[in-house]
Amino acid sequence: MKGLAAGIGVVVLSPLLLAGTAMMMASSSEASTTASFSGCLTGIDTAEVTKEVTKLLDGASGKDVHIQGLDLPAEQIPNAQTIVASGISLDVPKKGQIIAITTAMQESRLRNLNSGDRDSLGLFQQRPSQGWGTAQQIRDPVYASERFYKALLKVDGWQQMKVTQAAQAVQKSGYPDAYAQWEDLATALQKAIAATFPNADKDETAKDKDAESSSGGCTPDKDGTSFGRIPEGSVPKGYKIPKDADPKARKAIEWAMHQLGTQYQWGGSCTDSHGPDPMARCDCSSLMQQAYAHADVKLTRTTYTQVNEGKAVSAKNLQPGDLIFSRGTAARPEHVGMYMGEGLVIEAPRTSKPVRITPIKDWEILAVRRVL
């Protein structure tokens, strides 16, 4: 398989080789020809991507291949193929290959660039001055891909990280939020290309699949960490309900925020959380019920029933007002909170704790329901 990766790099891509110099694990900022993060590339049809990728690899002209997000498929798809083949040759799991394609999409738009910010070069905009190799080596897509993977594999816990976090751990980019926009496209490309290599995923473990499924798509960059430590019962400095939030979600969030700092009470009705009666205080599901009641949306009373309210949505596509469920199982979760946007969740956590706002990175999401 090593030979396969090398063959793709030389025969398909025929990279131009330059001369250059010299090691440390920090990367470039993005190439000057790439744009900063502008929003999520969503609505990717994996089956359609597979059809178009196969068409190109079977010899079709790039002019006849159309994939959302790829302006130069005749150049970009072979480069993605090299990245996948290099990952397979190094026994890198599927998620690692997705991280690599995501990174190359952001750094170079999957082009083997001759230049970039400062001395950045190639698919991953690696810098000779930062120890990634010589300019000639970095401009070899096989070498650049293998170099990226070796750096990724040294990141402790990378398989449990969200795709954008793992990419940033390797690249140390000036635009850490920007990788997320390419994850869906990278996932579709990896699947389409890997299918052309016999038994490419035969050794993938259940753990690998779990790690992949827990990736955050276009939301991982907003995991709440930018607000730092949030004192219990307070609103983090700088938070505002997103302008594009549904008006009813806005009302529900605002009402829930007025309960911040009040003590949790299991079985409490949340009808007078600031009053003297403990049973009028909030538990997790009554906080959701009463918040939405004040937005004229009727919810059932318990976490076990609220998980069936509205419609299921992906954790990749959270919107303010979505109910997020954790603990227990997806069918019978034991806890619920409300997504506020900006990577934050408001919740009534448990006995002895007040209603509070927490970063979504602290949540193990089992289900998400949109009730509007």
CSV table of all heavy atoms in Angstrom, one decimal, residues 60-115:
chain,number,residue,atom,x,y,z
A,60,ALA,N,-13.1,10.9,-16.7
A,60,ALA,CA,-13.9,12.0,-17.2
A,60,ALA,C,-13.1,13.3,-17.1
A,60,ALA,O,-12.2,13.4,-16.2
A,60,ALA,CB,-15.2,12.1,-16.4
A,61,SER,N,-13.4,14.3,-17.9
A,61,SER,CA,-12.8,15.6,-17.8
A,61,SER,C,-13.3,16.3,-16.5
A,61,SER,O,-14.5,16.1,-16.1
A,61,SER,CB,-13.2,16.4,-19.0
A,61,SER,OG,-12.9,17.8,-18.8
A,62,GLY,N,-12.5,17.1,-16.0
A,62,GLY,CA,-12.9,17.9,-14.8
A,62,GLY,C,-14.0,18.8,-15.1
A,62,GLY,O,-14.8,19.1,-14.2
A,63,LYS,N,-14.2,19.2,-16.4
A,63,LYS,CA,-15.3,20.1,-16.7
A,63,LYS,C,-16.6,19.4,-16.6
A,63,LYS,O,-17.7,20.1,-16.5
A,63,LYS,CB,-15.1,20.6,-18.2
A,63,LYS,CG,-13.8,21.4,-18.4
A,63,LYS,CD,-13.7,21.8,-19.8
A,63,LYS,CE,-12.4,22.7,-20.0
A,63,LYS,NZ,-12.3,23.1,-21.5
A,64,ASP,N,-16.6,18.1,-16.6
A,64,ASP,CA,-17.9,17.3,-16.5
A,64,ASP,C,-18.2,16.9,-15.1
A,64,ASP,O,-19.1,16.1,-14.9
A,64,ASP,CB,-17.8,16.1,-17.4
A,64,ASP,CG,-17.6,16.5,-18.9
A,64,ASP,OD1,-18.2,17.6,-19.3
A,64,ASP,OD2,-16.9,15.9,-19.6
A,65,VAL,N,-17.3,17.2,-14.1
A,65,VAL,CA,-17.5,16.8,-12.7
A,65,VAL,C,-17.9,18.0,-11.9
A,65,VAL,O,-17.2,19.1,-11.9
A,65,VAL,CB,-16.2,16.2,-12.2
A,65,VAL,CG1,-16.3,15.9,-10.7
A,65,VAL,CG2,-15.8,14.9,-13.0
A,66,HIS,N,-18.9,17.8,-11.1
A,66,HIS,CA,-19.4,19.0,-10.3
A,66,HIS,C,-19.7,18.5,-8.9
A,66,HIS,O,-20.5,17.7,-8.6
A,66,HIS,CB,-20.7,19.5,-10.9
A,66,HIS,CG,-20.6,19.9,-12.4
A,66,HIS,ND1,-20.0,21.0,-12.8
A,66,HIS,CD2,-21.0,19.2,-13.5
A,66,HIS,CE1,-20.0,21.1,-14.1
A,66,HIS,NE2,-20.6,20.0,-14.6
A,67,ILE,N,-18.9,19.1,-7.9
A,67,ILE,CA,-19.0,18.8,-6.5
A,67,ILE,C,-19.0,20.1,-5.8
A,67,ILE,O,-18.1,20.9,-5.9
A,67,ILE,CB,-17.8,17.9,-6.0
A,67,ILE,CG1,-17.9,16.5,-6.7
A,67,ILE,CG2,-17.9,17.7,-4.5
A,67,ILE,CD1,-16.7,15.6,-6.4
A,68,GLN,N,-20.0,20.3,-4.9
A,68,GLN,CA,-20.1,21.5,-4.1
A,68,GLN,C,-18.8,21.7,-3.3
A,68,GLN,O,-18.4,20.8,-2.6
A,68,GLN,CB,-21.3,21.4,-3.2
A,68,GLN,CG,-21.6,22.7,-2.4
A,68,GLN,CD,-22.7,22.5,-1.4
A,68,GLN,OE1,-23.3,21.4,-1.3
A,68,GLN,NE2,-23.0,23.6,-0.6
A,69,GLY,N,-18.2,22.9,-3.4
A,69,GLY,CA,-17.0,23.1,-2.7
A,69,GLY,C,-15.7,22.9,-3.4
A,69,GLY,O,-14.7,23.4,-3.0
A,70,LEU,N,-15.8,22.2,-4.5
A,70,LEU,CA,-14.6,22.0,-5.3
A,70,LEU,C,-14.7,22.7,-6.7
A,70,LEU,O,-15.5,22.4,-7.5
A,70,LEU,CB,-14.4,20.5,-5.6
A,70,LEU,CG,-14.2,19.5,-4.4
A,70,LEU,CD1,-14.0,18.1,-4.9
A,70,LEU,CD2,-13.1,20.0,-3.5
A,71,ASP,N,-13.8,23.7,-6.8
A,71,ASP,CA,-13.8,24.5,-8.1
A,71,ASP,C,-12.9,23.9,-9.1
A,71,ASP,O,-13.1,24.2,-10.3
A,71,ASP,CB,-13.4,25.9,-7.8
A,71,ASP,CG,-14.3,26.7,-6.8
A,71,ASP,OD1,-15.5,26.4,-6.8
A,71,ASP,OD2,-13.8,27.5,-6.0
A,72,LEU,N,-11.9,23.1,-8.7
A,72,LEU,CA,-11.0,22.5,-9.7
A,72,LEU,C,-10.9,21.0,-9.4
A,72,LEU,O,-9.8,20.5,-9.0
A,72,LEU,CB,-9.6,23.2,-9.5
A,72,LEU,CG,-9.5,24.7,-9.7
A,72,LEU,CD1,-8.2,25.3,-9.3
A,72,LEU,CD2,-9.7,25.0,-11.2
A,73,PRO,N,-12.0,20.3,-9.6
A,73,PRO,CA,-12.0,18.9,-9.2
A,73,PRO,C,-10.9,18.0,-9.9
A,73,PRO,O,-10.4,17.1,-9.3
A,73,PRO,CB,-13.4,18.4,-9.7
A,73,PRO,CG,-13.8,19.4,-10.7
A,73,PRO,CD,-13.2,20.7,-10.3
A,74,ALA,N,-10.5,18.4,-11.1
A,74,ALA,CA,-9.5,17.6,-11.8
A,74,ALA,C,-8.1,17.6,-11.0
A,74,ALA,O,-7.3,16.7,-11.1
A,74,ALA,CB,-9.2,18.1,-13.2
A,75,GLU,N,-7.9,18.7,-10.3
A,75,GLU,CA,-6.7,18.8,-9.5
A,75,GLU,C,-7.0,18.4,-8.0
A,75,GLU,O,-6.2,17.7,-7.4
A,75,GLU,CB,-6.2,20.3,-9.5
A,75,GLU,CG,-5.0,20.5,-8.6
A,75,GLU,CD,-4.6,22.0,-8.5
A,75,GLU,OE1,-5.2,22.8,-9.2
A,75,GLU,OE2,-3.6,22.3,-7.8
A,76,GLN,N,-8.1,18.8,-7.5
A,76,GLN,CA,-8.4,18.6,-6.1
A,76,GLN,C,-8.7,17.1,-5.7
A,76,GLN,O,-8.3,16.6,-4.7
A,76,GLN,CB,-9.6,19.4,-5.7
A,76,GLN,CG,-9.3,20.9,-5.7
A,76,GLN,CD,-10.5,21.8,-5.7
A,76,GLN,OE1,-11.4,21.6,-6.5
A,76,GLN,NE2,-10.5,22.8,-4.8
A,77,ILE,N,-9.4,16.4,-6.6
A,77,ILE,CA,-9.8,15.0,-6.3
A,77,ILE,C,-8.6,14.1,-6.3
A,77,ILE,O,-8.4,13.3,-5.3
A,77,ILE,CB,-10.9,14.5,-7.2
A,77,ILE,CG1,-12.2,15.2,-6.9
A,77,ILE,CG2,-11.0,13.0,-7.1
A,77,ILE,CD1,-13.3,14.9,-7.9
A,78,PRO,N,-7.6,14.2,-7.2
A,78,PRO,CA,-6.4,13.4,-7.1
A,78,PRO,C,-5.6,13.7,-5.9
A,78,PRO,O,-5.0,12.8,-5.3
A,78,PRO,CB,-5.7,13.7,-8.4
A,78,PRO,CG,-6.7,14.1,-9.4
A,78,PRO,CD,-7.8,14.8,-8.6
A,79,ASN,N,-5.6,15.0,-5.5
A,79,ASN,CA,-4.9,15.3,-4.2
A,79,ASN,C,-5.5,14.7,-3.0
A,79,ASN,O,-4.9,14.2,-2.1
A,79,ASN,CB,-4.8,16.8,-4.1
A,79,ASN,CG,-3.8,17.5,-5.0
A,79,ASN,OD1,-2.8,16.8,-5.4
A,79,ASN,ND2,-4.0,18.7,-5.3
A,80,ALA,N,-6.9,14.7,-3.0
A,80,ALA,CA,-7.6,14.0,-1.9
A,80,ALA,C,-7.3,12.5,-2.0
A,80,ALA,O,-7.2,11.8,-0.9
A,80,ALA,CB,-9.1,14.3,-2.0
A,81,GLN,N,-7.2,11.9,-3.2
A,81,GLN,CA,-6.9,10.5,-3.3
A,81,GLN,C,-5.5,10.2,-2.7
A,81,GLN,O,-5.4,9.2,-2.1
A,81,GLN,CB,-7.0,10.1,-4.8
A,81,GLN,CG,-6.8,8.6,-5.0
A,81,GLN,CD,-6.8,8.3,-6.5
A,81,GLN,OE1,-6.2,9.0,-7.3
A,81,GLN,NE2,-7.4,7.2,-6.9
A,82,THR,N,-4.6,11.1,-3.0
A,82,THR,CA,-3.3,10.8,-2.4
A,82,THR,C,-3.3,10.9,-0.9
A,82,THR,O,-2.6,10.1,-0.2
A,82,THR,CB,-2.3,11.9,-2.9
A,82,THR,OG1,-2.1,11.8,-4.3
A,82,THR,CG2,-0.9,11.8,-2.3
A,83,ILE,N,-4.1,11.8,-0.3
A,83,ILE,CA,-4.2,11.9,1.1
A,83,ILE,C,-4.8,10.6,1.7
A,83,ILE,O,-4.3,10.1,2.7
A,83,ILE,CB,-5.0,13.1,1.5
A,83,ILE,CG1,-4.3,14.4,1.2
A,83,ILE,CG2,-5.4,13.1,3.0
A,83,ILE,CD1,-5.1,15.7,1.3
A,84,VAL,N,-5.8,10.1,1.1
A,84,VAL,CA,-6.5,8.9,1.6
A,84,VAL,C,-5.5,7.7,1.4
A,84,VAL,O,-5.4,6.9,2.4
A,84,VAL,CB,-7.8,8.7,0.8
A,84,VAL,CG1,-8.4,7.3,1.2
A,84,VAL,CG2,-8.8,9.7,1.2
A,85,ALA,N,-4.9,7.6,0.3
A,85,ALA,CA,-4.0,6.5,0.1
A,85,ALA,C,-2.8,6.5,1.0
A,85,ALA,O,-2.4,5.4,1.6
A,85,ALA,CB,-3.5,6.5,-1.4
A,86,SER,N,-2.3,7.7,1.3
A,86,SER,CA,-1.2,7.8,2.3
A,86,SER,C,-1.7,7.4,3.7
A,86,SER,O,-1.0,6.7,4.4
A,86,SER,CB,-0.7,9.2,2.3
A,86,SER,OG,-0.2,9.6,1.1
A,87,GLY,N,-2.9,7.8,4.0
A,87,GLY,CA,-3.5,7.4,5.3
A,87,GLY,C,-3.7,5.9,5.4
A,87,GLY,O,-3.3,5.3,6.5
A,88,ILE,N,-4.2,5.3,4.4
A,88,ILE,CA,-4.3,3.8,4.4
A,88,ILE,C,-3.0,3.1,4.5
A,88,ILE,O,-2.8,2.1,5.2
A,88,ILE,CB,-5.0,3.4,3.1
A,88,ILE,CG1,-6.5,3.9,3.1
A,88,ILE,CG2,-5.0,1.8,2.9
A,88,ILE,CD1,-7.2,3.7,1.8
A,89,SER,N,-2.0,3.6,3.8
A,89,SER,CA,-0.6,3.0,3.9
A,89,SER,C,0.0,3.0,5.3
A,89,SER,O,0.8,2.2,5.6
A,89,SER,CB,0.3,3.6,2.8
A,89,SER,OG,0.7,4.9,3.3
A,90,LEU,N,-0.4,4.1,6.0
A,90,LEU,CA,0.1,4.2,7.4
A,90,LEU,C,-0.9,3.6,8.5
A,90,LEU,O,-0.6,3.8,9.6
A,90,LEU,CB,0.3,5.7,7.7
A,90,LEU,CG,1.5,6.4,6.9
A,90,LEU,CD1,1.5,7.9,7.2
A,90,LEU,CD2,2.8,5.8,7.2
A,91,ASP,N,-1.9,3.0,8.0
A,91,ASP,CA,-2.9,2.4,8.9
A,91,ASP,C,-3.6,3.5,9.7
A,91,ASP,O,-4.0,3.2,10.9
A,91,ASP,CB,-2.3,1.3,9.8
A,91,ASP,CG,-1.9,0.1,9.0
A,91,ASP,OD1,-2.5,-0.3,8.0
A,91,ASP,OD2,-0.8,-0.5,9.4
A,92,VAL,N,-3.8,4.7,9.2
A,92,VAL,CA,-4.5,5.7,9.9
A,92,VAL,C,-6.0,5.5,9.8
A,92,VAL,O,-6.5,5.2,8.6
A,92,VAL,CB,-4.1,7.1,9.3
A,92,VAL,CG1,-5.0,8.2,10.0
A,92,VAL,CG2,-2.7,7.4,9.5
A,93,PRO,N,-6.8,5.5,10.8
A,93,PRO,CA,-8.2,5.2,10.8
A,93,PRO,C,-8.9,6.3,9.9
A,93,PRO,O,-8.4,7.3,9.6
A,93,PRO,CB,-8.7,5.4,12.2
A,93,PRO,CG,-7.5,5.1,13.0
A,93,PRO,CD,-6.3,5.7,12.2
A,94,LYS,N,-10.1,5.9,9.5
A,94,LYS,CA,-11.0,6.8,8.7
A,94,LYS,C,-11.0,8.2,9.2
A,94,LYS,O,-10.9,9.2,8.4
A,94,LYS,CB,-12.3,6.2,8.6
A,94,LYS,CG,-13.3,7.0,7.7
A,94,LYS,CD,-14.7,6.4,7.8
A,94,LYS,CE,-14.8,5.0,7.2
A,94,LYS,NZ,-16.2,4.5,7.2
A,95,LYS,N,-11.2,8.4,10.5
A,95,LYS,CA,-11.4,9.7,11.0
A,95,LYS,C,-10.1,10.5,10.8
A,95,LYS,O,-10.2,11.7,10.5
A,95,LYS,CB,-11.7,9.7,12.5
A,95,LYS,CG,-11.9,11.1,13.1
A,95,LYS,CD,-12.4,11.0,14.5
A,95,LYS,CE,-12.6,12.5,15.1
A,95,LYS,NZ,-13.1,12.5,16.4
A,96,GLY,N,-9.0,9.9,10.9
A,96,GLY,CA,-7.7,10.6,10.6
A,96,GLY,C,-7.6,11.1,9.2
A,96,GLY,O,-7.1,12.2,8.9
A,97,GLN,N,-8.1,10.3,8.3
A,97,GLN,CA,-8.1,10.7,6.8
A,97,GLN,C,-9.1,11.8,6.6
A,97,GLN,O,-8.8,12.8,5.8
A,97,GLN,CB,-8.5,9.5,6.0
A,97,GLN,CG,-7.6,8.3,6.1
A,97,GLN,CD,-8.1,7.0,5.5
A,97,GLN,OE1,-8.9,7.1,4.5
A,97,GLN,NE2,-7.8,5.9,6.1
A,98,ILE,N,-10.2,11.8,7.3
A,98,ILE,CA,-11.1,13.0,7.2
A,98,ILE,C,-10.5,14.2,7.7
A,98,ILE,O,-10.6,15.3,7.2
A,98,ILE,CB,-12.5,12.6,7.9
A,98,ILE,CG1,-13.2,11.5,7.2
A,98,ILE,CG2,-13.3,13.9,8.1
A,98,ILE,CD1,-14.4,10.9,8.0
A,99,ILE,N,-9.8,14.1,8.9
A,99,ILE,CA,-9.1,15.3,9.4
A,99,ILE,C,-8.1,15.8,8.5
A,99,ILE,O,-8.0,17.1,8.3
A,99,ILE,CB,-8.4,14.9,10.8
A,99,ILE,CG1,-9.5,14.6,11.8
A,99,ILE,CG2,-7.5,16.0,11.3
A,99,ILE,CD1,-8.9,13.9,13.1
A,100,ALA,N,-7.4,14.9,7.8
A,100,ALA,CA,-6.3,15.4,6.8
A,100,ALA,C,-7.0,16.1,5.6
A,100,ALA,O,-6.5,17.1,5.2
A,100,ALA,CB,-5.5,14.2,6.4
A,101,ILE,N,-8.0,15.5,5.1
A,101,ILE,CA,-8.7,16.2,3.9
A,101,ILE,C,-9.3,17.5,4.4
A,101,ILE,O,-9.2,18.5,3.7
A,101,ILE,CB,-9.8,15.3,3.3
A,101,ILE,CG1,-9.2,14.0,2.8
A,101,ILE,CG2,-10.5,16.0,2.2
A,101,ILE,CD1,-10.2,13.0,2.3
A,102,THR,N,-9.9,17.6,5.5
A,102,THR,CA,-10.5,18.8,6.1
A,102,THR,C,-9.4,19.9,6.2
A,102,THR,O,-9.6,21.0,5.8
A,102,THR,CB,-11.1,18.6,7.5
A,102,THR,OG1,-12.2,17.7,7.4
A,102,THR,CG2,-11.6,19.9,8.1
A,103,THR,N,-8.2,19.5,6.7
A,103,THR,CA,-7.1,20.4,6.9
A,103,THR,C,-6.6,20.9,5.5
A,103,THR,O,-6.4,22.2,5.3
A,103,THR,CB,-6.0,19.8,7.6
A,103,THR,OG1,-6.4,19.3,8.9
A,103,THR,CG2,-4.8,20.7,7.8
A,104,ALA,N,-6.5,20.0,4.6
A,104,ALA,CA,-6.0,20.5,3.2
A,104,ALA,C,-7.0,21.3,2.5
A,104,ALA,O,-6.6,22.2,1.8
A,104,ALA,CB,-5.6,19.2,2.4
A,105,MET,N,-8.3,21.1,2.7
A,105,MET,CA,-9.3,21.9,2.1
A,105,MET,C,-9.2,23.4,2.6
A,105,MET,O,-9.3,24.3,1.9
A,105,MET,CB,-10.7,21.4,2.4
A,105,MET,CG,-11.2,20.4,1.5
A,105,MET,SD,-11.3,20.9,-0.3
A,105,MET,CE,-12.4,22.4,-0.1
A,106,GLN,N,-9.0,23.5,3.9
A,106,GLN,CA,-8.9,24.8,4.5
A,106,GLN,C,-7.6,25.5,4.1
A,106,GLN,O,-7.5,26.7,3.8
A,106,GLN,CB,-9.0,24.8,6.0
A,106,GLN,CG,-8.7,26.1,6.7
A,106,GLN,CD,-9.6,27.3,6.2
A,106,GLN,OE1,-10.7,27.1,5.7
A,106,GLN,NE2,-9.1,28.5,6.3
A,107,GLU,N,-6.5,24.8,4.2
A,107,GLU,CA,-5.1,25.4,4.0
A,107,GLU,C,-4.9,25.7,2.6
A,107,GLU,O,-4.2,26.7,2.3
A,107,GLU,CB,-4.1,24.4,4.6
A,107,GLU,CG,-4.2,24.1,6.0
A,107,GLU,CD,-3.7,25.3,6.9
A,107,GLU,OE1,-3.3,26.3,6.4
A,107,GLU,OE2,-3.8,25.1,8.2
A,108,SER,N,-5.3,24.9,1.6
A,108,SER,CA,-4.9,25.1,0.2
A,108,SER,C,-6.0,24.9,-0.8
A,108,SER,O,-5.8,25.0,-1.9
A,108,SER,CB,-3.8,24.1,-0.1
A,108,SER,OG,-4.3,22.7,-0.2
A,109,ARG,N,-7.2,24.5,-0.3
A,109,ARG,CA,-8.3,24.1,-1.1
A,109,ARG,C,-7.9,22.9,-1.9
A,109,ARG,O,-8.3,22.7,-3.1
A,109,ARG,CB,-8.8,25.2,-2.0
A,109,ARG,CG,-9.4,26.4,-1.3
A,109,ARG,CD,-10.6,26.1,-0.5
A,109,ARG,NE,-11.2,27.3,0.1
A,109,ARG,CZ,-10.9,27.8,1.3
A,109,ARG,NH1,-10.0,27.2,2.0
A,109,ARG,NH2,-11.5,28.9,1.7
A,110,LEU,N,-7.1,22.0,-1.3
A,110,LEU,CA,-6.7,20.8,-1.9
A,110,LEU,C,-5.9,21.0,-3.2
A,110,LEU,O,-5.9,20.2,-4.1
A,110,LEU,CB,-7.9,19.8,-2.2
A,110,LEU,CG,-8.4,18.9,-1.1
A,110,LEU,CD1,-9.7,18.2,-1.5
A,110,LEU,CD2,-7.3,17.9,-0.7
A,111,ARG,N,-5.1,22.1,-3.1
A,111,ARG,CA,-4.2,22.3,-4.3
A,111,ARG,C,-2.7,22.3,-3.7
A,111,ARG,O,-2.4,22.7,-2.6
A,111,ARG,CB,-4.5,23.7,-4.9
A,111,ARG,CG,-5.8,23.8,-5.6
A,111,ARG,CD,-6.2,25.2,-5.9
A,111,ARG,NE,-6.4,26.0,-4.7
A,111,ARG,CZ,-6.2,27.3,-4.6
A,111,ARG,NH1,-5.9,28.0,-5.7
A,111,ARG,NH2,-6.4,28.0,-3.5
A,112,ASN,N,-1.8,21.9,-4.6
A,112,ASN,CA,-0.4,21.8,-4.2
A,112,ASN,C,0.2,23.1,-4.5
A,112,ASN,O,0.9,23.3,-5.6
A,112,ASN,CB,0.2,20.6,-5.0
A,112,ASN,CG,1.6,20.2,-4.5
A,112,ASN,OD1,1.9,20.6,-3.3
A,112,ASN,ND2,2.4,19.6,-5.3
A,113,LEU,N,0.1,24.0,-3.6
A,113,LEU,CA,0.5,25.4,-3.9
A,113,LEU,C,2.0,25.6,-3.8
A,113,LEU,O,2.7,25.0,-3.1
A,113,LEU,CB,-0.2,26.3,-2.9
A,113,LEU,CG,-1.7,26.4,-2.9
A,113,LEU,CD1,-2.3,27.3,-1.8
A,113,LEU,CD2,-2.3,26.8,-4.3
A,114,ASN,N,2.4,26.6,-4.7
A,114,ASN,CA,3.9,26.9,-4.8
A,114,ASN,C,4.2,27.9,-3.7
A,114,ASN,O,5.4,28.2,-3.4
A,114,ASN,CB,4.2,27.6,-6.1
A,114,ASN,CG,4.2,26.6,-7.2
A,114,ASN,OD1,4.7,25.5,-7.1
A,114,ASN,ND2,3.6,27.0,-8.4
A,115,SER,N,3.2,28.5,-3.0
A,115,SER,CA,3.5,29.6,-2.1
A,115,SER,C,2.4,29.7,-1.1
A,115,SER,O,1.4,28.9,-1.2
A,115,SER,CB,3.7,30.9,-2.8
A,115,SER,OG,2.5,31.3,-3.5
